[in-house]
Each structure stands twice: as structure tokens, then as C-alpha cells.
Amino acid sequence: MSNRVTMNQNESVMLQRDTLPMQILSKLMDWIMDGTLKMGEKLNTEELARQLGVSRMPIREALNGLEKMGLAESVPYVGMKLVSLTQEDVLQIYQMRQALEPLVAEKACANITDGDLQELEKIHEDYIQIVREPELDAKKLYLQNRKFHFAVYSISGMDRVCSVIESLWDTLSFFKLIYGRDVIKNSEGVDKIIAEHQSYIDALKAGDSESLRQKLCATLAKRIEGISAESDYYTL
């Protein structure tokens, strides 16, 4: 890594010992979103430790966290590096999501309880609160969006399929973090996501599994179309 990533003394002090790995992980995610860290970039443990003013152990734990999230990978004879996703990689992952997510959502519609709906509505309310904050946080938005979707999918009881879907989301994390950074700059994009979530809740309330399946298929089809037409993908 180059020396361009630096923290001032106050930022370093904020990294308290008991939460160091999580705070370092959060900082690395911020650097991914603001473009400080790029796809495919090598993550040097010693250099990161020096820049953040911490020991190597919490850095290693944070990098393991990045790897579990699908944001980094360990490469033999190279070490830890951020993942690289080609445009075709992203397209294929979205196509797999389009095949699987409507399936589990349809099953969730048949299984959902009043308690599940209340929990889902609370997650959606929290999402809207995050969106309405004066300074939007792309990372919080991404994590809450993920929480919403998997709150729906887990109701299906199709644990093996949900595990595959979660793996696909993990692989897409890098792309979605950057996408989220761009979405929050566009109020129409944010309002559209809120409307999408509400439409899923409405379909679940009505027990309309076919409508829910179609809505998810259509949403993912738009994502696929947008990625296919993205001429500046490689600037991510």
C-alpha cells in the first residue's frame, strides 16, 4: 500500500482497545467507499498497523472480517488483497440472485407470521430513519438494506438456499458498498428503495406470493440491465 492513507492523532485515539478490530473494519469499509482503497489492492498488515497506530493483531482480525464479508481474499504467495470483480462477475451473481431470491421470498410469504411482519416493519422504519439523517451514511444504509432482505428470506425456512444467497451478497459487498455511496447522492434513488421495501411488505401482508416474486424479479432485472449498460464499471 502507498502512504496516502493517514489518520490524525484524534482518530487514532478513538480506536479503543476493546473494539479495535470492529472499528478498524469500519474504517477499512469507509476507505473502500470513498475510493481510498481500490478493487484488487493488496492489504499490508504492517503498513495498516503503522497508519492506524495499532498493533498487527487487531489488523489481522479486521482483515479476517473483510474476508468473511467477501470484501477481501487471501492469495497464496501474495497475502490479503481486496477482491476484484469484473463486470461479467457482477452480472452472473445478479442473475443467480434473480433465480434464488424470488424463490425464497415466495416461500416466506407462505410462512410469515404477525410477529415476523412487525419485526420487518421495524427494520424498514429504522431504514427510513437512516435515510432521513442529515448526513447519509452509505455503509449504514447498505447494512440495513441487507438486514431487511435477509429478515424476509430467513422466514422461508430454506436455510441452504439462504446460505447460498448470503454468499452471493458477500461476494457483491464491494460493488454494493460503492453503489450505495452513489445512491445516497440521489434522493430519487433513495426514495425508490424505500418504495421497493414497502411494496414487499405490502405483498407479504396480503399473502400475495406471486406479486412478491414478480416484484423481486423485476427489481433484480433492472439491476442486471443497469450493470450491462454501465460503461464506466471499471472506474469503481
Side-chain angles (χ1 to χ4, degrees):
M1 288 181 60
S2 68
N3 293 329
R4 69 181 185 281
V5 180
T6 59
M7 290 185 72
N8 62 40
Q9 186 174 1
N10 290 335
E11 286 178 312
S12 182
V13 170
M14 287 175 64
L15 298 176
Q16 301 299 321
R17 293 180 66 111
D18 58 343
T19 57
L20 267 176
M22 288 303 297
Q23 291 193 35
I24 293 168
L25 176 59
S26 179
K27 176 56 68 177
L28 292 175
M29 290 172 70
D30 287 339
W31 284 343
I32 288 169
M33 285 185 291
D34 68 19
T36 301
L37 295 175
K38 306 288 187 182
M39 281 190 182
E41 186 163 346
K42 184 177 178 181
L43 299 169
N44 185 292
T45 303
E46 291 188 3
E47 180 66 14
L48 285 170
R50 185 191 66 76
Q51 290 163 345
L52 293 171
V54 299
S55 68
R56 286 177 292 178
M57 183 60 71
I59 295 291
R60 290 194 189 100
E61 292 181 43
L63 294 183
N64 287 337
L66 276 184
E67 187 173 20
K68 288 176 182 176
M69 293 176 66
L71 291 166
E73 58 185 346
S74 181
V75 180
Y77 309 111
V78 174
M80 193 71 75
K81 58 179 289 191
L82 292 174
V83 296
S84 295
L85 292 176
T86 67
Q87 191 168 18
E88 182 60 28
D89 289 335
V90 175
L91 276 173
Q92 288 186 30
I93 293 167
Y94 268 96
Q95 287 164 349
M96 286 187 283
R97 285 185 57 194
Q98 189 183 38
L100 296 176
E101 291 180 36
L103 173 68
V104 295
E106 194 171 13
K107 182 66 173 177
C109 200
N111 292 349
I112 198 163
T113 66
D114 289 342
D116 293 329
L117 279 170
Q118 289 176 3
E119 176 65 21
L120 193 58
E121 287 179 324
K122 177 62 169 63
I123 293 170
H124 184 48
E125 288 171 6
D126 290 344
Y127 183 89
I128 293 173
Q129 286 186 353
I130 292 170
V131 167
R132 302 305 182 208
E133 289 177 357
E135 298 252 346
L136 283 177
D137 186 324
K139 180 173 57 184
K140 285 173 66 176
L141 208 63
Y142 161 73
L143 292 172
Q144 192 68 15
N145 180 56
R146 180 181 179 124
K147 183 176 181 180
F148 176 87
H149 279 269
F150 283 96
V152 175
Y153 302 155
S154 64
I155 298 167
S156 70
M158 302 176 72
D159 296 343
R160 290 184 181 276
V161 181
C162 287
S163 179
V164 173
I165 294 170
E166 189 167 14
S167 176
L168 295 174
W169 276 64
D170 285 344
T171 306
L172 276 176
S173 290
F174 202 117
F175 175 84
K176 289 180 74 64
L177 277 172
I178 297 172
Y179 173 77
R181 178 194 66 195
D182 295 334
V183 165
I184 65 172
K185 298 174 185 175
N186 181 348
S187 60
E188 289 183 7
V190 170
D191 290 340
K192 187 175 181 180
I193 294 174
I194 291 174
E196 284 176 2
H197 285 187
Q198 187 60 56
S199 73
Y200 301 155
I201 293 174
D202 292 342
L204 286 163
K205 280 183 177 179
D208 192 343
S209 59
E210 178 59 22
S211 173
L212 181 59
R213 186 187 67 78
Q214 290 180 0
K215 289 177 186 297
L216 269 167
C217 278
T219 295
L220 289 165
K222 288 178 183 176
R223 301 283 190 273
I224 290 168
E225 182 181 355
I227 295 161
S228 299
E230 188 63 66
S231 60
D232 60 348
Y233 171 83
Y234 292 99
T235 66
L236 293 180

